[in-house]
Every structure is written in C-alpha cells, then in structure tokens.
Amino acid sequence: MSNVAVVGAQWGDEGKGKVVDIYSARADVIVRCQGGNNAGHTLVVGGEKIILHHIPSGILHETKTCVIANGVVMDPGVLLREIEGLAKNGRKVTPENLVISESAHVILPFHKAIDAAREIAAGKGKIGTTGRGIGPCYEDKASRRGVRVGDLIRPEKLRERITASIDEKNALLKHLGAKTFTVDEIIAELTPQAEAIKPFAKDTFALLNELCEAGKTFLFEGAQGALLDIDNGTFPFVTSSNTGSGGMITGTGLGPKTLGKVVGITKAYVTRVGSGPFPTELECETGEALRNRGAEFGSTTGRPRRCGWLDLVALRHAVRMNGLDGLAVTKIDVLGGSDEIKICTAYELDGKTITHFPGRIEELERCKPVYETIPGWNDEISGSKTVAELPPNAIALLKRIEELSGCPVYLASVGPGRESTIEIRSPFA
Ligand code: GDP
Ligand code: IMO
Ligand code: MG
C-alpha cells in the first residue's frame, strides 16, 4: 500500500485532524513531522469532541504507532496533560503506541515568555501568534542553542544547556520588559516532566526508517497550512516551520520517495487566525455568517477566525508547493443556505489579471479577488454518503474546484463527525 501525507492547503484549521483520524484506520504508523502545540486538531467521534495539540490524530486507533518526529517542537507540560486527558477517557497512551524523537526540540518557559512579550511590543504589527513559544524555540534550533528531548531526559545535560543560554534570554526579556528566569526554577519545572517523558523518548530516525524498511504503511500528519510556511507562505505572517510536504522529509529523516500520495486539505471557503493579508476575506455579514455556521473559533486559542470565499489562486500555490495528488474538501455543509457561493479564480493586481500567488506580501496586499459565482443550495447535506446524494450545485462546486486546481477531490467532508464523510477515492492505492 502507498503511504499518504496529509497537508493543510490554506492557513491552517482545514480539518486535517478529521481526515487523519479517518485515514489512520488504513495506516500502521502516524507521524507528526513539524510544528508544535500551535496546532489544534479536532476529531469528533461518536459525538465526542477531542482536540489534540501534540499527539498524532491516529491515537484513537490504539494499536497504531504514533510518532512525534524530530521536526516537531514539544512543550512537555502540554504533552503530559494531553496524555492524561486521553487516559481519563479510557484511551491508553503508552510507549507502545506513542514515541517521541530524542531530536525534537523542547519549548522552554522562556520561549513562551519571549513569544508573548514580542507580540505585546509589536502592538498593531503583531503576527498574532498562538503564544506557545513556537518561533523562539525554532530560533534556538537554528542558532544551535536549543534543548532537545535527548537533553531534557539527561539531568546534567539539561542543566548545562539551560545555563549556556539563560543570560542571553534574560537580557532579551529585560529589554522587552518581561519577567526573567533562573536556571534553578526552570530545572525545577522540567525535572518531573522529563521523568514522565523519558519512557516515550527514542531515536525515531532509526525507528521510522526500520518500520519503513519492514514495509509498514505510513500516514504523515501535517500541521498548520501551506500559506503559513516559513519559506513559501505569507512571510512574515507565517509560522516558523516548513508546513508542506518538504517539511515532512526533514522532519522525520525519511527519504523523499517515502511520502507516497500527498493529499491537501482545503475548506470549501477560507479561514485565517492571526494577522496578515487575506485577499478573499469577508469583513461583512456574509463572513460573520460563515463564522457562525462553521463554528470558526480557534481550537488552540479560541480566537474568532477570519472568514472568506474559497481562493483558487492560493490553492494552486498549495498544489505546487506540496506536489498535491488530490484534495480533501471539508466543511461543504457550512455553505448550505446561501443563495450564491463565490470562488476566487484570479487576482487583479495594479490593473492586470494574474493567476499566480505573489511571493511578496506587499503585492498580495494590493490584490483584489476576481470571482466566479456558483448558485447555492438549501438542503441539509451532513447525512449524504455519496457524491450523487449531494445537491447538484454542491457537485458543480466540487467539479469547479477540480478543474481550477488541477487536482482530483479524494474526499468530501459534510460535517465534523467521522460519519459525515464521502470518500470518492482512497489515496492508499
Ligand atoms: P485542523 O487544525 O486542520 O485539524 O482543523 P481544526 O480542528 O482546527 O478545525 C476544523 C474544525 O472544523 C473542527 O472544529 C472540526 O471538527 C470541524 N470540521 C471538520 N470537517 C468539518 C466538516 O466537514 N463540516 C463541519 N461543519 N465541520 C467540520
Ligand atoms: P493547525 O495545525 C491555524 C498561525 C497563528 C499565527 C501564525 C504564527 O491547527 O492548522 P505561531 O504560534 O505558529 O508562531 O503563530 O500561525 N497558526 C495557525 N493557524 N492553525 C494552526 O495550526 C496554526 N498554527 C499557527 O495564528 O497567525
Ligand atoms: Mg487547527
């Protein structure tokens, strides 16, 4: 069977968690490759809602191997609370079904403090981060000052690494007008967490490659989305990792041919949390209606999500960036009840029509969407089990998405629950 990679094709929150949960039934190994607990992946199973920030969304399938690989940044307190939360509901998370890379970087208390203080200092120019310390942690990885899980679980190494960087961090925190830290208080907070994490920590480079060589089927779980990619997204209003299929290679230590089919998840409209350009944003009643019908409030921070019409120019950018084989289109049900639905097919930039996504945000900010209108539908579609059961105008929308993106639709999602899913074609061929 082919491996499958699931990536966000917009600005995050496309419904990756739901799709990964469904595909997990067909995989042996489910891997998170990048990002950290800035992610909030929602699964709705039997009416119960579960939001995962760190643990791969395959964890509800108990016999699978879930891996938090080297490209991830990990907050030990958050991870342990997530494990406890699942255990309270009778879902076992043990070193048998969850493995954490010794090479993953640890989000430290000062990373969170720096993230928060910088956002306050930036005022109106803030990025609108999730405040989870993601950027400062990846900075320390790039500057080779970070603490990895392998350091966290070795007390003498942990003290050595924290001691080496504390003065610089405190100088920065002082400059930002924020509270400073002592080495001892950080060690006191991390020591019990390190003990609890230790049994899960392994060399996942070796493990993943061995599982791959043994012919196991992999499901790669992306976090964030194409337009939040540090290199190819709407910089600087992005996250600090490579959110596309490329990040899955470096984030696991597996070779590029391992990915198999790459499936991009897109809502039937667009949302964004945080600051930055958003050409099809609807700052009007229509946007408000989408937010209410779609319950568009962040899974991680609870912030209202900005809403707008589906943007095919941006989606084509995601197709190129990830080498998408197919799409999963989610939240089609949310568009029900509108007289008409718009999709953006091109931008107008300085009097010219363009069909590519500009690389510079100064240009993107000047882009005006060119829309095509599709008539809406009133039927409730969450119970639809096949494409044929969908209203003709919903089918027309999916066809148009396929034509304009150049990608077949593999899956159509018509409600938050596992059961509200129409699978058109399996990527595990
Ligand atoms: P992720 O970060 O990509 O995993 O997405 P989130 O979980 O942050 O946000 C997606 C939200 O939409 C969650 O609340 C899901 O339960 C919900 N959702 C997913 N698919 C559908 C769908 O087809 N219809 C509706 N109404 N909700 C959906
Ligand atoms: P999932 O995996 C939506 C956004 C933040 C902010 C920017 C930088 O659930 O799709 P960061 O805290 O990463 O430094 O914030 O990125 N962001 C997300 N938006 N979904 C996410 O994850 C996100 N992770 C980060 O809102 O604009
Ligand atoms: Mg999310």
Side-chain angles (χ1 to χ4, degrees):
M1 275 224 295
S2 160
N3 293 336
V4 172
V6 165
V7 292
Q10 299 174 318
W11 276 288
D13 301 330
E14 300 91 348
K16 298 176 290 296
K18 170 177 169 169
V19 176
V20 170
D21 170 56
I22 287 167
Y23 285 170
S24 289
R26 280 165 264 172
D28 304 306
V29 185
I30 300 97
V31 200
R32 268 285 305 270
C33 319
Q34 45 66 230
N37 56 314
N38 47 351
H41 295 179
T42 313
L43 326 179
V44 178
V45 180
E48 185 193 354
K49 182 170 169 174
I50 299 143
I51 301 178
L52 297 167
H53 301 287
H54 266 319
I55 299 180
S57 302
I59 199 70
L60 299 194
H61 303 259
E62 246 174 54
T63 55
K64 313 288 176 177
T65 305
C66 287
V67 179
I68 297 175
N70 59 276
V72 169
V73 290
M74 191 271 293
D75 184 324
V78 172
L79 177 65
L80 291 169
R81 280 196 295 280
E82 207 161 287
I83 293 174
E84 269 168 38
L86 286 164
K88 264 190 207 143
N89 289 313
R91 299 195 165 93
K92 272 193 285 175
V93 183
T94 68
E96 297 300 308
N97 63 354
L98 179 70
V99 181
I100 305 165
S101 171
E102 286 212 30
S103 302
H105 277 250
V106 179
I107 301 173
L108 299 166
F110 48 64
H111 292 143
K112 289 178 265 191
I114 292 169
D115 191 0
R118 278 205 189 123
E119 287 284 273
I120 292 168
K124 277 196 169 161
K126 72 178 180 184
I127 289 168
T129 72
T130 58
R132 303 299 191 260
I134 305 296
C137 184
Y138 275 117
E139 279 169 44
D140 274 359
K141 172 176 175 173
S143 70
R144 295 151 292 177
R145 290 175 179 279
V147 169
R148 308 212 288 184
V149 169
D151 304 322
L152 175 75
I153 59 172
R154 292 178 176 84
E156 60 308 334
K157 196 76 192 163
L158 178 63
R159 183 170 284 277
E160 182 192 310
R161 299 291 295 171
I162 304 270
T163 306
S165 67
I166 193 79
D167 289 346
E168 241 184 41
K169 299 300 170 205
N170 280 341
L172 177 56
L173 284 164
K174 254 188 218 154
H175 169 76
L176 292 166
K179 177 187 155 297
T180 57
F181 291 85
T182 65
V183 173
D184 284 344
E185 72 182 313
I186 294 175
I187 301 284
E189 181 178 332
L190 293 179
T191 300
Q193 296 173 350
E195 279 303 306
I197 297 274
K198 199 171 175 177
F200 295 92
K202 283 208 179 94
D203 174 351
T204 57
F205 178 93
L207 175 75
L208 290 170
N209 276 285
E210 279 160 22
L211 288 168
C212 189
E213 283 149 19
K216 299 291 177 195
T217 301
F218 280 64
L219 175 59
F220 298 87
E221 175 173 357
Q224 290 78 54
L227 306 174
L228 290 171
D229 182 84
I230 181 111
D231 285 290
N232 302 302
T234 50
F235 188 89
F237 298 101
V238 292
T239 190
S240 299
S241 64
N242 285 113
T243 58
S245 52
M248 293 173 160
I249 303 302
T250 52
T252 55
L254 290 161
K257 292 182 186 135
T258 319
L259 285 192
K261 289 276 189 319
V262 186
V263 182
I265 317 299
T266 173
K267 282 177 184 162
Y269 50 96
V270 180
T271 64
R272 171 165 208 175
V273 234
S275 323
F278 180 175
T280 61
E281 182 169 16
L282 293 163
E283 291 178 282
C284 59
E285 275 174 18
T286 313
E288 191 67 36
L290 282 176
R291 183 174 311 115
N292 291 331
R293 277 187 62 88
E296 295 295 356
F297 296 89
S299 319
T300 296
T301 58
R303 290 178 290 177
R305 295 174 180 150
R306 300 158 63 194
C307 297
W309 293 122
L310 183 62
D311 183 343
L312 267 302
V313 181
L315 188 60
R316 279 195 295 266
H317 184 72
V319 172
R320 284 176 157 179
M321 185 186 131
N322 290 293
L324 294 186
D325 292 291
L327 296 171
V329 182
T330 62
K331 304 196 97 159
I332 304 166
D333 53 307
V334 175
L335 293 179
S338 313
D339 291 339
E340 52 182 39
I341 292 157
K342 291 192 174 159
I343 54 174
C344 165
T345 55
Y347 295 151
E348 201 185 292
L349 172 64
D350 303 335
K352 286 201 185 105
T353 303
I354 60 165
T355 52
H356 70 279
F357 196 72
R360 290 169 47 76
I361 68 157
E362 293 82 350
E363 284 185 2
L364 186 61
E365 276 161 350
R366 296 202 303 279
C367 284
K368 303 267 175 298
V370 177
Y371 286 120
E372 188 175 296
T373 302
I374 292 175
W377 61 88
N378 280 315
D379 322 51
E380 169 57 49
I381 62 169
S382 293
S384 306
K385 296 283 173 228
T386 61
V387 172
E389 287 174 43
L390 290 173
N393 291 340
I395 299 174
L397 172 67
L398 292 178
K399 281 225 170 84
R400 202 65 190 119
I401 293 173
E402 287 188 330
E403 281 163 11
L404 291 165
S405 68
C407 262
V409 174
Y410 283 3
L411 182 150
S413 174
V414 290
R418 264 184 194 167
E419 64 290 351
S420 299
T421 309
I422 302 170
E423 186 157 11
I424 300 161
R425 180 173 356 154
S426 173
F428 294 90

